[in-house]
Amino acid sequence: MKRRDAQLLDKAEFHFQKQEYPTAIALLQQYVQRRPDEGHAWMLLGEAGLETGDNALAFNAFERALMIDSLRYRRALAMVGELHLRQEQYSQATTAFARALASGAFRENERMLLQERFKISEFRQQLVSNPHPVLLHNAGTPLNTPDDEIPNSILLDGSRLLFTRKQNSGGRDRQQPKETFLITSQNQGQWSEPDEFMPWRDSGLNMGAPALAPDGNALWFAGCGWPGGLGSCDLYVSYFEKGAWSLPVNTGPQINTAAWESQPAISVDCTTLIFASNRPGGYGGSDLYQAVRLPDGRWSSPQNLGPLINTAGNEMAPFFHPDGITLYFSSDGHPGMGGFDLFMTRLDLAGRWSAPFNLGVPINSPADELNLVTDARGAVAWMAAQRPGGMGGYDMYSFELPAELRPQPLRTVKLRITDAINGRPIRAFVRVNALSDGSLFFEGSSRDTDGILMFPLPEEAAFALFAGSEGYLYFSEQYVFEKDDSEPQLSLEIKLMPALEGQRMVLKNIYFAFNSAELLPESRAALEHLLEFFRQNNDWQAEIAGHTDSVGTPAFNKRLSLMRALAVRDWLIQQGVDPQRLVAVGYGADQPSASNATEEGRAQNRRTEIVLRKRL
C-alpha cells in the first residue's frame, strides 16, 4: 500500500472513530476510488452509510466487500439484512439473514443474534403479508393538533373520550412538555370541541396518564414530584362526589415505591388495578403489575404479570377492558413491527394471562403505537400513532377492530334514579344478579348529582336488577338480553317511591316449587334484594304476605300462602334480620290482584308481598 493511501485510510478511520461520519465518508470514497479492491475500506464506508442513514451508499459498499471476500467480510451479510429490515423490505431481509446463517462463518454469540434478526424479519414479513382489513381514521380537528394527543379512557357507552395533549410549557425549560387532560363528547357521530378536564389545574403540579373509571366516577392518574410522594411518579385517585372531584389521594406505599409508577388501568368495578412501573425486581425497563382491592378496602401487594407478558424491553400503557378478561398494552420487547407495538392478552378460566398477540398490520407500523382504548362494545378502538399525513407528533386514530382482536362484547346499562314524587336525583345502591344462579354481575351506586349509573353486562344475559336507597321502597325487575339484539344500550328511568306506612311492594322473582313452600334457587337474587332493603331501612317493621290463585280449596291455599310467607321470613331471619321486625300472613286467594279466569291473571295472583307497618 502506498504511503499516501495508507495515510488517507488512517485519516478516514480517525474521523470515523470520532463519529465525524460525513468527513469519513468523503475520505473513504477517495480511498476506494484509488484502491477498489480494499474490502476493509468498503466495510467502513458501509458502516458510515448506516450511521448517516444513507442506505444506498451502505448497500453498495457492503455488496462490494462481499464480492471481494464473502468469508472475510461476513459481517456484511448481516449488515445487508439490517439495511433491508430498515427499509421494510422484510422478504429480502429474511433472505439475507438466512444467507448469513448458512455461511457458517459466525461465532456462537453472533449466530444467536443473527437468528433473532432472522426471526424478526420473518415475523414482520408474515404480518405485512396478512394485513387486517382496517382503515385508520385520523380524528382531525378539533381533537388533533401539531402537539401530541394520546387517548386515555372512553366511557362504557362510547359517549365521552378522555385524552392527554402534550405541548411545550413555554417556560425556561422549553423541553419540558406541558400535559393537559381534555375531554370530548360524541353527538350523532361528531366529537365536540374538547374541554379542559383538570380538576386541580391551578395546583401547578405535574400530572399525566389519566384513567377514568368506566362509569366516569373515579379518576386515576400519575402525579410526578408531588409533595409527600414516594417516588419520581406515584399513582393518585380522585372521586366525583356531590358534584365535584375530591382532592387526589396518594394510593400509598402498598402501590407506590421509590421508583416510577404510572399509566394506571382500572377494572369496571374498580377492584383491579394494572399499571406500569420500573421498580427493582422486574424483567426489563418498565413492567406491568396488578393489584386487587381487598375486602377491607386496602390494596394487595402488586404482582408482576410475569415473563410471558413482560420482557427485557418496556411494557406500558395498559388498558383493561370492562369484560374483565382482555388486556391491551404497548411493548417494544415482544416481536413486532418496530418501536412500540400494540398487543393483547386474555385471562383464561384459571386466571392466567395468555401469550401476548401482536395486533398486526396496519394497526402496528415501524413507528410507535400507544394507548389503545375501546368502549364496552369493543367494535371501535382508539390509539395514538405517528403516521404520514398526520397533524404533527402523536395523533389519535380510530378504527374498527377485527373480530379476532375484539374483547368480549358487552352491553351498557344506563340508569337514572329519581324520587317518584319530586323527581330529585337519588344516590341509590344498585345490585345486578344472574337469574340462573344468583351470581353477582355488578354492584355500585348512582351519583347524587344526577342519579345516573352506568355498568356493562354480557351481550347475552338474563338478570335481576335491584335499586334501593334508605327511606324508599326498592325497585326490582328482571331483563333478558338476547344475543341478536341490535341495541347496544339499555336506558332505564327508575322512580323510587318514598317508604310510607301501609305501602305494598310485590316481591318479583321469588319462586317456589309447585304446591310447596320450598324456595327455588332462582329466588336467590330477589331475596338478596329484599335483604338489602331491610338493611337500608332498619327502622321499619313489615308484614310478609303470601297470596295464591283460586285453584284448590280455600284451606289449602291459606296454608300454602302462609307457609310461603314464613319461608321468606325465615330466610331473612337467617341472614340477620331481627325477627320482631317481621310478621308472616297467608291470605290464600282472598286478595286477588287480577282475575282468576285466565292463566295470566292467576300467575299475577300467585305472589309474595311486603307491607310496611310502622317504624320501630
Side-chain angles (χ1 to χ4, degrees):
M1 182 184 295
K2 293 181 180 180
R3 180 181 178 86
R4 182 180 173 188
D5 292 343
Q7 290 176 338
L8 185 60
L9 183 58
D10 287 344
K11 191 174 181 181
E13 288 182 327
F14 172 79
H15 287 288
F16 183 92
Q17 294 300 326
K18 292 188 69 174
Q19 299 181 7
E20 296 170 353
Y21 299 117
T23 303
I25 288 172
L27 294 170
L28 286 165
Q29 286 176 327
Q30 292 180 41
Y31 182 84
V32 295
Q33 283 181 353
R34 298 167 64 89
R35 300 185 67 88
D37 295 329
E38 178 56 58
H40 170 69
W42 285 113
M43 287 294 295
L44 205 61
L45 184 58
E47 291 184 35
L50 275 177
E51 295 292 345
T52 57
D54 191 334
N55 296 329
L57 174 67
F59 261 127
N60 179 64
F62 289 134
E63 290 291 351
R64 291 295 295 267
L66 287 170
M67 289 171 61
I68 294 167
D69 191 335
S70 61
L71 182 61
R72 182 177 181 184
Y73 301 116
R74 59 187 180 275
R75 285 183 59 249
L77 292 168
M79 296 298 187
V80 169
E82 288 295 333
L83 280 165
H84 283 302
L85 204 55
R86 176 185 288 187
Q87 296 186 95
E88 302 173 32
Q89 298 166 342
Y90 304 119
S91 179
Q92 295 95 318
T94 302
T95 300
F97 288 127
R99 195 174 145 211
L101 286 166
S103 72
F106 292 90
R107 293 187 293 270
E108 184 59 28
N109 62 330
E110 294 174 325
R111 185 174 182 82
M112 290 176 63
L113 289 173
L114 275 173
Q115 286 174 333
E116 285 300 313
R117 302 309 284 168
F118 173 80
K119 289 178 182 177
I120 288 174
S121 58
E122 188 177 49
F123 180 79
R124 293 180 184 175
Q125 174 62 20
Q126 290 173 352
L127 291 185
V128 299
S129 298
N130 299 279
H132 295 295
V134 167
L135 292 177
L136 302 178
H137 302 282
N138 188 299
T141 56
L143 304 189
N144 288 325
T145 69
D147 294 311
D148 291 338
E149 281 79 27
I150 303 200
N152 299 108
S153 299
I154 192 164
L155 292 192
L156 287 169
D157 62 355
S159 63
R160 304 183 81 193
L161 174 71
L162 175 69
F163 66 98
T164 303
R165 179 172 292 153
K166 295 184 179 182
Q167 59 192 43
N168 194 286
S169 65
R172 293 179 182 176
D173 181 6
R174 299 190 65 84
Q175 300 305 311
Q176 178 64 37
K178 176 186 176 183
E179 294 190 40
T180 305
F181 301 168
L182 297 166
I183 198 158
T184 178
S185 300
Q186 184 176 202
N187 184 21
Q188 296 182 343
Q190 299 296 316
W191 292 93
S192 67
E193 183 78 33
D195 294 320
E196 198 168 296
F197 186 76
M198 300 283 279
W200 321 279
R201 59 182 178 273
D202 297 329
S203 66
L205 297 173
N206 185 6
M207 298 182 289
L212 271 176
D215 64 358
N217 288 332
L219 179 68
W220 301 75
F221 61 92
C224 301
W226 284 32
L230 301 175
S232 59
C233 291
D234 285 359
L235 296 184
Y236 291 79
V237 63
S238 171
Y239 297 96
F240 191 71
E241 299 171 334
K242 298 180 180 178
W245 288 95
S246 65
L247 289 175
V249 176
N250 189 300
T251 53
Q254 201 64 21
I255 297 294
N256 296 311
T257 68
W260 172 85
E261 280 79 35
S262 188
Q263 302 172 350
I266 192 73
S267 64
V268 69
D269 58 1
C270 294
T271 61
T272 299
L273 176 66
I274 299 176
F275 61 95
S277 175
N278 64 358
R279 63 184 64 190
Y283 293 91
S286 64
D287 282 4
L288 298 182
Y289 290 80
Q290 175 178 321
V292 296
R293 194 184 294 275
L294 303 173
D296 63 4
R298 296 182 301 114
W299 288 99
S300 70
S301 178
Q303 299 297 308
N304 189 294
L305 293 194
L308 196 62
I309 303 298
N310 293 312
T311 68
N314 296 281
E315 281 65 49
M316 55 183 285
F319 172 72
F320 194 23
H321 189 264
D323 68 0
I325 62 171
T326 305
L327 177 69
Y328 298 95
F329 64 95
S330 295
S331 171
D332 64 0
H334 290 284
M337 293 299 298
F340 280 95
D341 274 17
L342 289 166
F343 294 83
M344 70 180 296
T345 176
R346 287 192 175 99
L347 283 171
D348 64 17
L349 294 177
R352 298 168 302 197
W353 293 106
S354 66
F357 185 80
N358 189 294
L359 298 195
V361 173
I363 299 170
N364 289 317
S365 75
D368 292 337
E369 284 74 37
L370 306 170
N371 289 61
L372 184 144
V373 300
T374 185
D375 61 15
R377 203 68 173 164
V380 176
W382 291 70
M383 71 174 182
Q386 293 178 309
R387 295 292 172 94
M391 300 185 67
Y394 285 100
D395 281 355
M396 293 191 295
Y397 290 82
S398 64
F399 56 94
E400 283 197 24
L401 274 170
E404 63 270 27
L405 303 182
R406 293 183 183 183
Q408 176 182 309
L410 303 173
R411 286 193 170 92
T412 301
V413 179
K414 185 174 183 179
L415 308 179
R416 185 170 184 270
I417 305 175
T418 59
D419 185 300
I421 304 301
N422 57 32
R424 179 178 60 84
I426 296 174
R427 183 177 180 84
F429 175 78
V430 174
R431 178 187 285 121
V432 184
N433 299 88
L435 285 180
S436 58
D437 58 5
S439 59
L440 184 66
F441 273 138
F442 175 84
E443 63 181 11
S445 296
S446 59
R447 294 192 295 251
D448 51 11
T449 52
D450 54 14
I452 288 177
L453 174 65
M454 285 194 300
F455 55 89
L457 287 177
E459 186 180 35
E460 189 174 9
F463 60 96
L465 188 152
F466 163 87
S469 184
E470 183 178 357
Y472 290 88
L473 299 181
Y474 73 82
F475 170 90
S476 181
E477 190 55 87
Q478 68 180 44
Y479 303 89
V480 176
F481 281 159
E482 300 289 353
K483 190 171 184 178
D484 57 356
D485 287 346
S486 59
E487 183 55 53
Q489 180 171 307
L490 173 65
S491 296
L492 296 175
E493 185 84 16
I494 297 175
K495 300 179 185 296
L496 296 185
M497 184 67 68
L500 301 171
E501 189 168 347
Q503 281 187 322
R504 292 176 176 268
M505 186 164 50
V506 176
L507 306 180
K508 298 180 179 180
N509 309 319
I510 290 184
Y511 306 103
F512 298 91
F514 179 69
N515 276 354
S516 166
E518 177 191 353
L519 285 163
L520 295 176
E522 298 93 312
S523 303
R524 178 76 186 190
L527 291 169
E528 292 281 359
H529 298 167
L530 179 60
L531 176 63
E532 188 65 36
F533 169 79
F534 280 106
R535 287 173 174 167
Q536 290 180 338
N537 298 275
N538 56 18
D539 56 349
W540 277 102
Q541 291 179 320
E543 173 189 299
I544 300 174
H547 302 271
T548 69
D549 57 28
S550 61
V551 177
T553 67
F556 176 83
N557 287 336
K558 280 284 183 70
R559 185 176 184 280
L560 179 61
S561 63
L562 175 60
M563 295 303 292
R564 287 178 170 179
L566 285 169
V568 174
R569 179 180 183 272
D570 291 345
W571 188 91
L572 291 169
I573 291 171
Q574 290 170 8
Q575 307 307 312
V577 179
D578 184 351
Q580 297 196 19
R581 296 177 60 193
L582 305 172
V583 60
V585 180
Y587 290 98
D590 293 349
Q591 296 182 2
S593 62
S595 170
N596 278 302
T598 66
E599 177 51 39
E600 182 180 352
R602 290 192 293 273
Q604 291 183 38
N605 290 332
R606 297 189 296 269
R607 68 195 188 279
T608 306
E609 297 176 329
I610 65 167
V611 184
L612 298 184
R613 286 308 184 197
K614 61 179 179 179
R615 295 180 184 274
L616 294 172

